[in-house]
Amino acid sequence: MPSKDIQTQHHLPPGQSRLLDIHFRQLRYESTEVIIDACYHATQQLVTCGQDGPVLDYDDRQSTLKGVQYSLFRDVEFEELIFHESKGIIVRVSFACPRALRGRGMHASGHFEHGKLIALIGFDAQQRTISTTFFDVHLRQSTEAMRPRTGNELRVQVSFADKNDTDGVRRMLYQMEHLVSAKFVLVEFPGVLLPGFSWCLAQLQNSLGTTAIAFSSYIAPPVDSIRPPIVPPSYASADNFAFDLHTLKKATESEQSSQFSLKPSDLASDQKQLKVMTDALSVSTTLDNGQAVALCENLCRGLAFTQGPPGTGKTYLGVSLCKVILESRDRREPKPILAVCMTNHALDNFLEDLLKEGITKITRLGAGSKEDWTKQYLLKEQSKKTRMTEIERSRIRAAHLNEEGWINEGRSWCESIGNDSLSWISIRAHLRSNYRLIFDHFTSLEAVGERLSDIRLARQAGGFAFEYWCRGGDISDVDQLLDVFGTMLGVNNPLGEIDEFQQNARDRVLASITRNAKRIENINAGIDLWGLPRQERESLMRKWKAEVNPWAIVDRTAEVHRRHQAARDLKRKEYQAIEMRCMMQQDVIGLTTTACASHWHLLNQLGLQTVICEEAGEVMEAQTLCTLFPSVEHAIFIGDPLQLRWIILCHTVSQNGANKRDRPQVTQTSLSVESNHGAAYRLDESLFERMMFPSTPGILPAPTSQLNLQRRMHPDIADISRATMYPYLKDHESTYQHPPVAGMVDRTFWFDHLRPEDRSNPRSSMSKSFSNTFEVEMVNGLVQYLVDSNEYDLKDIAVLTPYNGQLAALMRRLSATCSIWLSDKDRQDLIDEGLLTIEEAGPGLKTEVDLSSMLRVATIDNFQGEEARVVILTTVRSNFEDKVGFLRTPNRINVGCSRARDGFYIIGNASLMSSVNMWDAIINIFVNKEKIGPGFRTRCSRHPQHEYIVSEPEQYAQLIVGRSDRAVTIVLLRVTKVVVRPVSFHVKDPVNMERALKYAVVSVTRVCRPAPGNVNTLAHAQHSVACHAIECPAASLALKYFPVAIYVLASLSCGHFFDVEFLDKRFNLIRFYKFDDTGAVEQPRLGNISREARRCPTCKQPCSEVRRYAIFTQLARLPDTIDRMFAKIGRKMDMFMEQMLQIKENLGSSGGEFRKKMKPNPMAGKANQRLAYDRGNACMEVQQKMTDFRDDVVAPFEKSLLRLSNFFNNSDVIYPSICPFKLRFDFMYYRCRLLTLEESVRMITWLMKYQEPVPHIHALAEGLRIITIQQALENTEAIQSTIEECTAKELKRLEVELRLVQLSFHMVLKTINIKSPVDVDACSASAMSICRQYPDTAGALLKSYRLFNAYLKGASPPPQHLFYGEMKEFWWVWGRYQIGNVKHCGFGHPYSGTTFSGCPECGRIVEYHRPPELSTAHYDQFLNESAFVRHMRNSPMQD
């Protein structure tokens, strides 16, 4: 491995080529070594266990000797080939799914996400050969219908990672065609996406010796030459050129028309002019002095570097540079600016800031953004709106037709691979060579003249005559022949609808086919092809199938795949001309470093002049080199090399990939600058860091601008950064206004302890990480204490740690009392390492969560760029071996100590950490300020004279927590009862406090003199000077001048102030809260909670900003929130039911088309299976969405509602609802399953009606029958538990509906002659009894049960529609749920009193009695008409 040390040997001399070669080799090693190690380890297991039989369960998580973690899946089988429009051949494989990942486990695990890199490793025991083929995940499939083997499989569609790997394509095709026999395993590399490194590697390789890199003489100078000075950009070197700075002026300054510009030629060598310009910028713009200096220096340097410590406004500087450069461009030939960022998140933020500044002509390359607003700026979307010339349209049309031709041919070849059917594409060459007359016979039907458009159209349906012949068609039936042609045609016009030109071509082709069919009846092909019966045709096809060389089929299929990719490349080139024109019309082109490498050749043609790179300190130099196009004259790099580099984590790669991940990382720590061995390689070093801190002796650092004014940290916290990394750092005046940490004496503090770290079991998942239980408990107590102070929400606090083991321990402990939010990267790392289960890790980014109520817990590496009001850092390590671990790295220490705004607390072993120089400097700061010790110094906010030392976790529970001093005021009893508010700054020393108190006396006296004792003077006194008399010294000084009583006031959002004691009495809080001796709230009195919002006594506005009273406002809104949730669920139920009924209708109307498409010839087995599969899975998508909504929304909502009801135990607060919604979704799920099984029965019936014996048709019918029986029995038994739950909840209508579905499953089984486990008579009798007892709701289904009973007695055929319109109307009404009038029936079922006249589940109850048995009537005495008349005459008449 070549090192970066210029003194070491290398086969190339110093310069650009050597630099590119070193980066290429190091990046290749970093990217592929993990893959190689995992594949080697998997191969060993495959060879060792290659002869074992199928496995029922296993653990997919594997780890190599080097510690590389990956997933290994066994029992791989190849099922189908699919030819994709863009990716070519796609292979669908199945494999045994571990028990832990079955069901929803696989979906939640993150395995097999789209784009992930996997490998299929095969071992041929006979040939003793091993093969490895790499793929990208295209689609994961795990539906219930896909269970033909053991029921435990997962299916995944994969495409070839290297689309030009024809050898790999052939290997897979040989296996599909059963030409070779090998056993395969599937290897999944955690989070590896091939584009994350392949494009950069390819570009570095292409640039070797062929492409010049901008500023190469400075970046990679020859060893004997002197590095040239950095000069202004070439486009700005003209004497008359000046950057226009007018666009940066403030709104008040911009009205002045004076010229405001910067000439690089004047400022480059004149420091006085530079000082004058930066002073003018500081006055006339919103830039601070450091930003102004950096802006001037960046404009005057062709290669510019700007270092920005945390919170100094690096992005704002980048936006300002964009504005100036865009305003100063050459108007005749303006070139866009290339804005490059490491991550999609940073890029979106940068582009959003540009839009806010009025720069709207932007385009974004790459689709990795998670922000919806970026879609309209994607290059793909913008190029669609770009007008095409006629030549471009013609070329694109031709490219599309060429690609479609290969797609159609590829699909035909894929159908032939591993299939019993014989397609025209696979037999065509054989017939042409060996049966020329028969070949001519079939192809003569496709003769359509010499027009190119007609020939192309006919080729799209190539082989339709042979297909018609295989189906048993008759040549004299021209209409059927044309139907086959139309079915196979499948015209796919990418440019819109079929135009008149295409329609005319289609009409001519149909006319030609008709003429050919009438003429061909008299042609002799040696045998009477069209007169052969079906059995002889099938025999002839089997003969041809046996004669065809399968190796030739495989080779031809691989060649078609290759030519298709070539056709796609050609089409892509045609589109690039349009994309280039679109980009040249923009002001800014935004993209990530990965996208820059992948689009390098396209961007290189634009002749870009300016590149601005954000997060430049995080970007590896190898990726930075891909942004320095030969045409670039101005490269600006903004970042901070002193923060985290390309993150280094041993042997793991980001789960979300290069285009999604929050932070990049290096996998090989042996090449890292942080390791002793890696100092010569410095793989993770950025170009920025190498230029700023050169490692080669005698090389001077590059000129670097520095931002020096931070706006994030309070000065006490910023002192840490000043003493370690940034001695020049200054504090913005706003940072002095940060409030003190409520309940804490110290804003910063180091909790020093000697408690040892945990010793994990070497065999456990924690053995590769570290944790410290004592620190976890201290963090938990501190978080609860800060939140209980009523000053902080969970979102204001962040807990950081360097280790995943500690992160998992914190997650488990804190989740018991807090809602925890993990970044997607941290979450996946914990799951991959086995530190947390999927359930323990909580929701990922795909789940919408409210972060405002969640505590952020993160590793330091994944918190860069974030901030919090209070940060708690747990260092974890505490051992006798003096091992510090990850926190030895200065960059990581820097990030961990610069995230806090108001308060920063470290929990760790100071004596151990002091062995690291940077930690030693930090500890000295805490020591000098007396901010270090064995316990936190806490203070009661309500009684500041009470201070407590907390050295054990148990002591937190003993603390008195009161209101923060933000609401503490002084009431001057001697002069008047006037409230003086606290000052915005903190008066700490006695001298200043005494001055403030004197001034307070004078001010209050002056204000109150006109009306002594008048409380109306309160409004004036609020604007008087205030005094911070909370600390003990202040209180003693105040007593020298006047008696002081300290009260706690509530500052309401409406602006009024009241004594808390007064409000407590007015709101009668003693009824609702239990207080301790100090007046602090201990707990609510749950039985007396009221939902009435507490309002200001003066203006009647809700007291929603005071946590003490906010609960009443929140409880007042709770019923409306629940009501709206009912409405939302109702709309979803109606939507899903409507979709389900639409699918049922579509299936009913498309039965004839399905039967028409079924091919009875023996070679069409695969195509028929696909038709049955697609039809049987028609409602799978709706079913999946339905169950997802049930599991993700409905079930958690009902569970939370039940917990709230049990917690308050008060119907005035929340009514204890018995919700039917989850069970309703269960019912819809069973309806979906019933719909699928009923359709399977119909397909079985159709397939069994074929008169002629077709083996594969009957085999398909038998397979459907087996699946139908299995699933019908499973659902029949599963639905019983749902019925029992409905009975327990008195959901009468739903119970009757579920019983009807259960009886319908019984009908399915009876139709295919299988005995059902359902007690039909008891089920039907129970349901009919409920229908009569609840006529308004369940009674609507009485008609369905009567039809069913008639069917059971043989009095009528099987009913086709058991679910009538009344049931559809029920769901329709739920979808129109009107909020504002929630009612509950006697059983607790919720419903809208406006929408429903009564409970839709139970309704009106009618007492029902079974009618008595009737006596037998003797009708024979009335059968005689004369006797009947006589009887009537003798009967007495009544008036």
Side-chain angles (χ1 to χ4, degrees):
M1 182 62 58
S3 71
K4 291 182 180 178
D5 190 349
I6 201 170
Q7 305 297 331
T8 59
Q9 292 184 353
H10 195 280
H11 67 282
L12 293 173
Q16 173 183 306
S17 297
R18 175 170 176 167
L19 180 68
L20 292 172
D21 180 78
I22 291 173
H23 282 295
F24 171 78
R25 294 176 186 275
Q26 290 189 1
L27 182 60
R28 181 179 61 181
Y29 176 77
E30 180 269 327
S31 304
T32 61
E33 186 64 19
V34 172
I35 299 172
I36 294 171
D37 190 33
C39 288
Y40 180 75
H41 187 264
T43 302
Q44 289 178 316
Q45 298 192 59
L46 174 63
V47 174
T48 303
C49 307
Q51 304 302 322
D52 296 345
V55 293
L56 298 178
D57 191 23
Y58 62 96
D59 189 356
D60 64 289
R61 295 172 298 179
Q62 302 290 328
S63 180
T64 71
L65 295 177
K66 295 181 179 179
V68 175
Q69 298 176 4
Y70 69 97
S71 295
L72 180 69
F73 298 95
R74 307 177 186 275
D75 291 352
V76 175
E77 290 189 7
F78 297 86
E79 296 195 341
E80 185 182 14
L81 288 181
I82 304 169
F83 203 91
H84 192 263
E85 295 86 356
S86 60
K87 299 182 178 180
I89 292 179
I90 287 178
V91 185
R92 191 177 78 185
V93 299
S94 65
F95 50 87
C97 183
R99 190 180 302 276
L101 298 177
R102 293 173 193 169
R104 294 184 58 82
M106 179 64 76
H107 174 75
S109 68
H111 282 292
F112 298 106
E113 291 183 343
H114 179 78
K116 278 189 178 180
L117 183 69
I118 64 172
L120 280 172
I121 302 177
F123 172 57
D124 189 336
Q126 295 180 352
Q127 301 294 328
R128 304 298 297 175
T129 58
I130 296 172
S131 64
T132 303
T133 310
F134 292 96
F135 293 87
D136 291 327
V137 175
H138 175 67
L139 179 65
R140 181 180 61 199
Q141 297 176 311
S142 56
T143 61
E144 186 174 346
M146 291 182 175
R147 302 191 302 180
R149 288 166 56 193
T150 65
N152 298 327
E153 292 80 28
L154 182 83
R155 283 161 177 77
V156 60
Q157 293 181 7
V158 295
S159 61
F160 290 92
D162 182 3
K163 304 300 185 293
N164 298 319
D165 181 15
T166 54
D167 291 337
V169 173
R170 286 191 176 91
R171 279 197 299 270
M172 293 301 104
L173 296 180
Y174 292 155
Q175 188 71 25
M176 288 290 298
E177 195 72 351
H178 306 293
L179 300 177
V180 296
S181 178
K183 189 166 185 177
F184 283 82
V185 293
L186 191 152
V187 177
E188 183 189 26
F189 311 100
V192 177
L193 283 89
L194 188 62
F197 59 87
S198 61
W199 288 113
C200 184
L201 281 174
Q203 184 50 43
L204 290 174
Q205 192 174 38
N206 293 335
S207 299
L208 282 171
T210 59
T211 305
I213 295 178
F215 309 106
S216 59
S217 60
Y218 194 88
I219 295 174
V223 67
D224 295 331
S225 65
I226 300 176
R227 180 177 289 173
I230 297 179
V231 297
S234 299
Y235 68 85
S237 59
D239 293 337
N240 59 348
F241 179 87
F243 287 105
D244 188 351
L245 306 179
H246 188 80
T247 184
L248 298 180
K249 282 190 173 183
K250 300 176 183 177
T252 55
E253 297 282 343
S254 60
E255 298 177 358
Q256 303 177 7
S257 58
S258 59
Q259 186 178 3
F260 195 41
S261 61
L262 181 152
K263 296 187 68 175
S265 57
D266 294 343
L267 268 64
S269 57
D270 193 337
Q271 292 298 319
K272 293 183 179 180
Q273 288 289 336
L274 178 62
K275 179 68 168 59
V276 172
M277 178 56 65
T278 55
D279 291 343
L281 283 169
S282 301
V283 173
S284 301
T285 71
T286 55
L287 298 171
D288 60 48
N289 184 262
Q291 291 171 333
V293 173
L295 182 130
C296 293
E297 292 177 344
N298 276 268
L299 294 177
C300 294
R301 295 170 182 165
L303 180 61
F305 299 95
T306 298
Q307 181 195 14
T312 52
K314 295 184 287 293
T315 300
Y316 185 72
L317 172 64
V319 172
S320 300
L321 286 167
C322 279
K323 294 170 64 176
V324 172
I325 295 173
L326 289 175
E327 192 69 21
S328 309
R329 288 182 302 175
D330 186 350
R331 296 290 187 268
R332 296 168 298 178
E333 191 178 356
K335 297 291 181 67
I337 296 174
L338 189 69
V340 185
C341 295
M342 182 68 244
T343 63
N344 282 291
H345 177 69
L347 178 61
D348 291 340
N349 290 340
F350 187 73
L351 296 181
E352 188 174 18
D353 289 342
L354 290 177
L355 290 172
K356 292 178 181 178
E357 293 295 327
I359 302 175
T360 58
K361 296 176 66 175
I362 63 176
T363 189
R364 194 187 195 283
L365 273 69
S369 173
K370 298 175 183 176
E371 303 291 339
D372 292 336
W373 63 266
T374 62
K375 293 180 180 178
Q376 60 179 317
Y377 297 103
L378 293 177
L379 176 61
K380 183 178 179 181
E381 297 298 323
Q382 291 181 338
S383 61
K384 291 178 182 178
K385 303 175 183 178
T386 304
R387 186 182 298 275
M388 290 187 290
T389 65
E390 288 299 324
I391 296 178
E392 289 173 337
R393 184 179 292 273
S394 175
R395 288 179 176 176
I396 289 177
R397 185 189 300 277
H400 272 289
L401 292 174
N402 181 37
E403 182 189 24
E404 287 170 9
W406 291 113
I407 291 173
N408 293 329
E409 186 169 348
R411 287 172 177 169
S412 299
W413 282 106
C414 285
E415 289 181 2
S416 302
I417 299 292
N419 197 345
D420 293 334
S421 64
L422 192 65
S423 65
W424 172 249
I425 199 72
S426 62
I427 197 65
R428 179 177 57 188
H430 180 69
L431 292 181
R432 182 172 57 234
S433 301
N434 303 288
Y435 301 92
R436 187 69 188 192
L437 291 176
I438 296 177
F439 174 79
D440 293 339
H441 191 89
F442 286 127
T443 55
S444 60
L445 275 170
E446 301 179 10
V448 292
E450 298 181 354
R451 292 195 181 208
L452 185 60
S453 59
D454 296 0
I455 295 174
R456 284 175 173 168
L457 194 64
R459 283 180 178 175
Q460 293 183 15
F464 70 91
F466 177 77
E467 182 70 22
Y468 183 56
W469 179 80
C470 291
R471 293 185 182 186
D474 187 355
I475 191 62
S476 61
D477 192 346
V478 179
D479 292 337
Q480 289 292 331
L481 177 64
L482 295 180
D483 286 343
V484 174
F485 173 78
T487 301
M488 297 184 63
L489 184 60
V491 176
N492 181 22
N493 182 12
L495 299 181
E497 300 295 332
I498 297 177
D499 55 25
E500 184 179 358
F501 175 79
Q502 292 175 315
Q503 186 61 48
N504 291 337
R506 190 169 187 172
D507 293 340
R508 287 194 301 270
V509 170
L510 292 175
S512 299
I513 294 173
T514 303
R515 290 193 301 270
N516 294 339
K518 293 179 179 180
R519 175 179 53 82
I520 205 171
E521 293 185 58
N522 301 320
I523 294 180
N524 185 8
I527 58 175
D528 184 9
L529 283 176
W530 297 99
L532 293 175
R534 176 171 294 176
Q535 292 85 348
E536 294 187 24
R537 296 188 189 189
E538 293 172 356
S539 176
L540 192 58
M541 285 189 287
R542 284 192 292 270
K543 177 177 179 294
W544 292 339
K545 176 81 172 177
E547 295 172 349
V548 172
N549 183 3
W551 299 91
I553 293 178
V554 168
D555 291 340
R556 181 58 185 172
T557 306
E559 178 63 16
V560 170
H561 172 84
R562 186 192 66 80
R563 294 194 178 188
H564 167 257
Q565 293 302 313
R568 278 194 58 80
D569 293 340
L570 180 62
K571 185 186 74 170
R572 179 66 186 153
K573 290 180 180 178
E574 298 297 341
Y575 273 110
Q576 284 183 353
I578 302 171
E579 293 174 348
M580 286 179 57
R581 192 163 67 252
C582 177
M583 287 191 289
M584 288 300 294
Q585 297 171 359
Q586 308 302 319
D587 289 337
V588 177
I589 301 173
L591 73 174
T592 62
T593 52
T594 300
C596 186
S598 63
H599 294 85
W600 193 92
H601 292 285
L602 175 63
L603 296 169
N604 188 43
Q605 300 177 58
L606 301 179
L608 298 169
Q609 291 181 332
T610 305
V611 174
I612 296 179
C613 182
E614 280 266 316
E615 297 180 336
E618 303 176 35
V619 185
M620 281 202 308
E621 184 173 356
Q623 294 180 321
T624 303
L625 295 177
C626 295
T627 67
L628 297 178
F629 298 91
S631 59
V632 170
E633 301 174 4
H634 197 180
I636 299 173
F637 296 94
I638 304 174
D640 187 6
L642 297 182
Q643 296 190 52
L644 284 171
R645 306 178 182 91
W646 181 282
I647 292 185
I648 302 164
L649 295 176
C650 258
H651 310 301
T652 61
V653 182
S654 171
Q655 187 70 19
N656 292 323
N659 63 333
K660 299 179 183 178
R661 61 191 176 192
D662 293 332
R663 303 278 300 126
Q665 50 189 302
V666 170
T667 60
Q668 300 301 319
T669 55
S670 61
L671 301 184
S672 169
V673 68
E674 297 181 11
S675 66
N676 295 330
H677 178 71
Y681 302 101
R682 303 190 302 280
L683 171 64
D684 51 342
E685 184 181 54
S686 66
L687 175 66
F688 196 161
E689 184 176 3
R690 184 167 70 87
M691 293 292 102
M692 188 174 178
F693 307 108
S695 58
T696 303
I699 301 296
L700 297 177
T704 304
S705 304
Q706 291 179 327
L707 305 181
N708 58 3
L709 188 65
Q710 66 90 17
R711 296 170 171 81
R712 173 188 295 167
M713 301 171 282
H714 186 275
D716 290 349
I717 304 173
D719 286 342
I720 299 175
S721 297
R722 267 187 290 271
T724 53
M725 292 289 196
Y726 314 104
Y728 53 85
L729 190 63
K730 300 178 181 178
D731 304 311
H732 191 267
E733 59 183 12
S734 63
T735 60
Y736 290 90
Q737 311 303 321
H738 291 188
V741 180
M744 302 294 289
V745 175
D746 306 298
R747 184 185 297 275
T748 62
F749 193 84
W750 185 304
F751 181 95
D752 186 19
H753 70 89
L754 297 176
R755 304 296 178 90
E757 63 196 42
D758 301 336
R759 298 291 182 179
S760 60
N761 187 337
R763 296 185 177 182
S764 72
S765 59
M766 297 286 291
S767 62
K768 298 177 182 178
S769 191
F770 297 92
S771 62
N772 192 309
T773 301
F774 176 75
E775 293 189 10
V776 169
E777 293 299 325
M778 287 301 301
V779 169
N780 177 69
L782 183 56
V783 168
Q784 296 301 323
Y785 174 73
L786 292 175
V787 173
D788 289 344
S789 71
N790 292 329
E791 182 68 22
Y792 301 102
D793 292 323
L794 290 173
K795 67 175 182 179
D796 298 324
I797 304 171
V799 180
L800 304 184
T801 177
Y803 290 100
N804 283 336
Q806 185 78 339
L807 184 66
L810 288 167
M811 184 74 184
R812 290 192 183 95
R813 183 66 181 90
L814 292 168
S815 60
T817 54
C818 306
S819 298
I820 306 296
W821 183 83
L822 289 176
S823 72
D824 220 31
K825 177 63 180 61
D826 279 334
R827 176 182 181 273
Q828 195 60 52
D829 284 345
L830 295 181
I831 295 174
D832 289 342
E833 296 180 22
L835 299 174
L836 288 182
T837 63
I838 297 170
E839 292 75 15
E840 290 175 329
L845 289 181
K846 294 180 180 178
T847 305
E848 294 182 3
V849 293
D850 182 13
L851 298 184
S852 63
S853 61
M854 304 187 79
L855 174 70
R856 289 178 291 175
V857 183
T859 57
I860 298 174
D861 293 0
N862 289 319
F863 207 71
Q864 179 159 308
E866 304 291 335
E867 63 180 47
R869 289 183 63 186
V870 177
V871 172
I872 305 170
L873 173 62
T874 161
T875 63
V876 183
R877 303 307 300 271
S878 180
N879 52 69
F880 297 106
E881 296 84 8
D882 292 337
K883 293 182 178 179
V884 176
F886 280 159
L887 280 183
R888 182 179 298 276
T889 307
N891 300 57
R892 186 169 288 107
I893 300 172
N894 182 27
V895 171
C897 296
S898 59
R899 304 298 102 193
R901 290 179 53 84
D902 300 343
F904 180 50
Y905 302 98
I906 301 177
I907 303 176
N909 186 330
S911 61
L912 173 64
M913 292 296 160
S914 62
S915 61
V916 179
N917 292 336
M918 186 168 176
W919 277 122
D920 187 53
I922 294 174
I923 292 170
N924 287 333
I925 296 174
F926 284 95
V927 171
N928 294 334
K929 293 185 177 182
E930 298 182 355
K931 304 293 185 183
I932 187 172
F936 286 119
R937 296 188 292 181
T938 64
R939 168 188 294 146
C940 176
S941 300
R942 196 169 188 178
H943 305 87
Q945 67 273 20
H946 297 159
E947 292 186 4
Y948 306 90
I949 302 297
V950 178
S951 56
E952 297 290 338
E954 298 79 14
Q955 293 177 312
Y956 283 110
Q958 304 170 8
L959 297 181
I960 299 176
V961 180
R963 182 67 178 170
S964 71
D965 55 30
R966 180 172 59 87
V968 176
T969 57
I970 298 177
V971 180
L972 307 180
L973 297 179
R974 175 177 294 180
V975 182
T976 180
K977 291 190 176 182
V978 174
V979 178
V980 182
R981 298 181 62 192
V983 289
S984 57
F985 57 91
H986 303 289
V987 184
K988 293 185 177 181
D989 60 288
V991 177
N992 289 333
M993 177 61 68
E994 186 171 359
R995 293 175 182 173
L997 286 172
K998 289 180 179 179
Y999 186 59
V1001 173
V1002 175
S1003 300
V1004 173
T1005 304
R1006 184 177 64 249
V1007 171
C1008 300
R1009 188 175 294 121
N1014 190 346
V1015 295
N1016 292 330
T1017 59
L1018 176 62
H1020 301 282
Q1022 287 176 353
H1023 298 285
S1024 302
V1025 68
C1027 178
H1028 191 292
I1030 306 305
E1031 301 179 2
C1032 296
S1036 60
L1037 283 171
L1039 291 174
K1040 290 172 55 179
Y1041 295 95
F1042 42 74
V1044 176
I1046 300 179
Y1047 290 87
V1048 177
L1049 287 204
S1051 174
L1052 305 185
S1053 57
C1054 56
H1056 297 108
F1057 292 82
F1058 294 93
D1059 182 15
V1060 170
E1061 184 178 355
F1062 164 76
L1063 290 180
D1064 285 354
K1065 292 180 180 178
R1066 181 181 179 88
F1067 296 155
N1068 199 10
L1069 239 65
I1070 193 66
R1071 288 186 55 205
F1072 311 120
Y1073 287 118
K1074 181 180 178 181
F1075 297 92
D1076 60 13
D1077 296 336
T1078 65
V1081 175
E1082 279 190 343
Q1083 63 184 37
R1085 299 179 185 272
L1086 302 180
N1088 298 322
I1089 287 291
S1090 170
R1091 288 195 293 105
E1092 180 184 356
R1094 294 322 188 241
R1095 300 180 179 275
C1096 172
T1098 302
C1099 63
K1100 307 305 180 183
Q1101 294 293 321
C1103 304
S1104 57
E1105 297 298 323
V1106 182
R1107 292 174 62 94
R1108 196 179 188 88
Y1109 313 119
I1111 185 174
F1112 299 101
T1113 303
Q1114 295 169 3
L1115 290 176
R1117 297 171 181 169
L1118 184 59
D1120 180 66
T1121 303
I1122 296 173
D1123 192 16
R1124 293 180 182 276
M1125 197 65 186
F1126 289 161
K1128 176 181 179 179
I1129 295 176
R1131 289 193 298 270
K1132 285 289 186 179
M1133 289 195 304
D1134 176 51
M1135 179 190 74
F1136 287 131
M1137 182 56 70
E1138 186 66 30
Q1139 293 176 358
M1140 192 192 314
L1141 295 176
Q1142 183 62 48
I1143 292 172
K1144 182 179 179 65
E1145 182 180 345
N1146 295 340
L1147 289 174
S1149 61
S1150 61
E1153 183 181 355
F1154 169 77
R1155 294 193 295 272
K1156 186 177 179 180
K1157 289 182 178 180
M1158 292 296 292
K1159 304 173 185 179
N1161 68 79
M1163 304 301 176
K1166 199 70 175 180
N1168 291 340
Q1169 184 181 357
R1170 171 55 71 102
L1171 284 174
Y1173 167 79
D1174 291 341
R1175 191 169 182 83
N1177 288 275
C1179 61
M1180 275 299 170
E1181 183 179 357
V1182 174
Q1183 176 184 313
Q1184 187 63 48
K1185 291 180 180 178
M1186 189 188 308
T1187 53
D1188 287 346
F1189 185 79
R1190 178 195 64 188
D1191 297 340
D1192 297 340
V1193 178
V1194 179
F1197 167 69
E1198 289 192 5
K1199 184 178 180 181
S1200 300
L1201 199 60
L1202 180 62
R1203 290 175 62 187
L1204 281 173
S1205 177
N1206 294 335
F1207 178 79
F1208 287 108
N1209 194 24
N1210 188 333
S1211 60
D1212 291 336
V1213 179
I1214 176 173
Y1215 195 90
S1217 302
I1218 305 298
C1219 294
F1221 303 114
K1222 178 183 177 298
L1223 294 174
R1224 279 279 163 200
F1225 274 84
D1226 289 341
F1227 167 76
M1228 289 192 291
Y1229 167 80
Y1230 289 119
R1231 281 289 305 273
C1232 277
R1233 302 308 309 141
L1234 176 62
L1235 176 60
T1236 299
L1237 297 181
E1238 288 176 340
E1239 190 58 34
S1240 296
V1241 170
R1242 279 191 287 272
M1243 287 192 289
I1244 294 170
T1245 305
W1246 295 332
L1247 294 174
M1248 296 303 293
K1249 286 183 178 179
Y1250 278 94
Q1251 298 178 357
E1252 300 182 17
V1254 184
H1256 81 272
I1257 291 288
H1258 289 284
L1260 179 59
E1262 183 61 23
L1264 284 173
R1265 184 175 180 273
I1266 293 173
I1267 294 176
T1268 302
I1269 293 171
Q1270 179 185 2
Q1271 296 190 11
L1273 289 172
E1274 289 178 359
N1275 286 282
T1276 302
E1277 296 175 0
I1279 202 173
Q1280 184 61 37
S1281 62
T1282 310
I1283 292 174
E1284 294 172 357
E1285 190 173 353
C1286 288
T1287 303
K1289 293 184 176 182
E1290 300 292 344
L1291 298 169
K1292 300 302 181 181
R1293 180 188 177 105
L1294 183 54
E1295 179 183 349
V1296 172
E1297 290 177 295
L1298 285 165
R1299 290 188 182 277
L1300 189 59
V1301 174
Q1302 190 179 39
L1303 292 174
S1304 299
F1305 283 127
H1306 167 82
M1307 288 175 56
V1308 168
L1309 291 169
K1310 184 176 181 180
T1311 305
I1312 53 181
N1313 300 320
I1314 298 297
K1315 184 179 179 180
S1316 167
V1318 180
D1319 187 346
V1320 177
D1321 294 336
C1323 181
S1324 178
S1326 176
M1328 293 185 71
S1329 175
I1330 296 174
C1331 289
R1332 295 189 180 98
Q1333 190 175 3
Y1334 297 87
D1336 296 341
T1337 54
L1341 287 88
L1342 190 59
K1343 179 180 178 182
S1344 298
Y1345 279 96
R1346 287 172 177 165
L1347 287 174
F1348 182 80
N1349 288 333
Y1351 160 67
L1352 291 179
K1353 294 177 181 179
S1356 66
Q1360 299 297 320
H1361 301 286
L1362 288 177
F1363 301 92
Y1364 285 91
E1366 293 85 351
M1367 294 190 65
K1368 182 177 179 181
E1369 181 181 357
F1370 169 84
W1371 299 93
W1372 184 88
V1373 175
W1374 262 112
R1376 275 73 187 168
Y1377 183 102
Q1378 297 185 33
I1379 62 175
N1381 189 16
V1382 179
K1383 301 288 185 182
H1384 291 82
C1385 70
F1387 296 121
H1389 307 148
Y1391 63 94
S1392 170
T1394 306
T1395 308
F1396 299 96
S1397 58
C1399 176
E1401 294 295 341
C1402 52
R1404 177 172 55 94
I1405 305 176
V1406 176
E1407 188 175 358
Y1408 170 71
H1409 300 285
R1410 183 179 296 276
E1413 296 290 338
L1414 298 176
S1415 58
T1416 304
H1418 300 282
Y1419 294 102
D1420 54 342
Q1421 62 177 319
F1422 301 111
L1423 293 180
N1424 186 282
E1425 184 177 354
S1426 59
F1428 174 73
V1429 174
R1430 186 167 57 253
H1431 174 77
M1432 293 298 296
R1433 286 176 178 173
N1434 295 332
S1435 299
M1437 300 296 292
Q1438 297 180 2
D1439 294 335

